[in-house]
Amino acid sequence: MTVDQSRWTAIDEYFSDQLHGDDPALEAALAASDEAGLPQINVAPNQGKLLMLLALMTGAKRVLEVGTLGGYSTIWLARGIPAGGHVDTLEIDAEHAAVAGRNLREAGLQDRVEVHVGRASETLEDFVRREVEPYDLVFLDADKASLPDYLEAALRLSRPGTVIVADNVVRRGEVINAETTDPNVIGVRRYMDELRDNPRLESTAIQTVGSKGWDGLAITVVKG
Ligand code: SAH
Ligand code: DHB
Ligand code: MG
């Protein structure tokens, strides 16, 4: 038996068909993102649904996402919060943000999501300065080089019990290359060091294979 990308993709399709059903809003969001020429680096459907489930499991009302792209993961996150909840999602690229805004409107979620255009570090600094209410769930999925900075900001916007998820922490295995010169991998490795060294944090990381290849997620809860 060969285990390869086509098998990983087929199994993702099987799980999605079995457990997610047809989802016109998400399919339309991906089609519109493709149409606009956005890169296909959104989370896989089962990873998106995991985000929704994490929001449901934690009872999240306030969600922070760093890295919107076309709003695919944003739609999943927004579906996991109750009416009256709120998602702040941060995107540097105005074109990506415009596509996301349209996709969120089409999905009927515009009332509970705000897309903030700009460098995430600056938007986060603004949130800290304005002392916004702490977030219940944070999804870090923008440039990986800045992950340690995003973690620091996320912690200033957290409370005990806040869950922080970081995407793409395996990078096709490069994460264990201590000699790497790739700034994204260096960012992931520094993020892992922070998770290890900060006594306020309890974390693990999971490798994933599937329609999006070989990668992984780090999951953290902020302790009291
Ligand atoms: N979360 C999305 C995928 C995000 S892809 C999904 O799964 O559907 C990463 C996004 O982060 C891209 O749209 C990119 O433009 C954005 N990004 C990269 N650097 C950024 C920065 N410094 N500040 C804010 N957004 C950034
Ligand atoms: C890339 C970014 C992502 O967030 C992702 O899930 C996959 C790939 C990238 O920048 O290549
Ligand atoms: Mg990602």
Side-chain angles (χ1 to χ4, degrees):
M1 187 184 73
T2 57
V3 179
D4 58 12
Q5 180 60 59
S6 69
R7 182 68 65 102
W8 298 343
T9 301
I11 287 164
D12 262 4
E13 283 169 0
Y14 167 72
F15 286 150
S16 293
D17 288 350
Q18 288 286 86
L19 305 175
H20 303 185
D22 279 344
D23 203 320
L26 284 169
E27 280 151 32
L30 286 185
S33 299
D34 281 354
E35 184 70 26
L38 269 52
Q40 295 178 348
I41 55 174
N42 49 277
V43 293
N46 48 2
Q47 295 168 335
K49 190 152 183 186
L50 174 64
L51 295 173
M52 185 188 98
L53 290 172
L54 285 170
L56 289 170
M57 287 187 276
T58 56
K61 294 187 179 65
R62 286 178 52 75
V63 175
L64 172 65
E65 177 178 63
V66 182
T68 315
L69 191 64
Y72 181 81
S73 53
T74 321
I75 291 173
W76 280 112
L77 286 164
R79 286 176 173 180
I81 61 171
H86 188 77
V87 180
D88 286 308
T89 184
L90 280 46
E91 174 54 56
I92 198 169
D93 185 308
E95 175 67 25
H96 294 183
V99 173
R102 288 197 293 275
N103 285 338
L104 289 158
R105 260 194 308 283
E106 285 293 316
L109 293 165
Q110 72 279 12
D111 290 347
R112 63 178 74 172
V113 181
E114 189 169 348
V115 183
H116 301 260
V117 184
R119 284 170 53 95
S121 55
E122 288 171 16
T123 307
L124 290 166
E125 199 47 56
D126 180 55
F127 288 177
V128 169
R129 203 165 35 235
R130 285 168 35 215
E131 298 185 35
V132 302
E133 294 266 301
Y135 292 95
D136 307 307
L137 176 63
V138 179
F139 181 47
L140 301 178
D141 194 22
D143 56 310
K144 315 308 167 190
S146 303
L147 265 176
D149 299 334
Y150 298 152
L151 178 63
E152 190 186 333
L155 290 176
R156 297 172 73 183
L157 297 165
S158 293
R159 54 160 178 85
T162 296
V163 169
I164 303 174
V165 178
D167 195 23
N168 311 114
V169 300
V170 172
R171 316 292 306 187
R172 288 173 186 76
E174 269 303 289
V175 66
I176 60 168
N177 180 4
E179 311 300 309
T180 185
T181 56
D182 179 338
N184 290 309
V185 179
I186 292 170
V188 171
R189 289 177 59 84
R190 294 211 174 120
Y191 184 80
M192 292 294 172
D193 290 346
E194 285 294 320
L195 297 188
R196 177 196 61 203
D197 293 339
N198 187 329
R200 278 181 71 205
L201 305 180
E202 201 66 71
S203 305
T204 194
I206 298 289
Q207 302 183 62
T208 57
V209 294
S211 59
K212 295 290 171 173
W214 176 28
D215 217 316
L217 297 167
I219 304 183
T220 295
V221 64
V222 180
K223 295 191 291 186

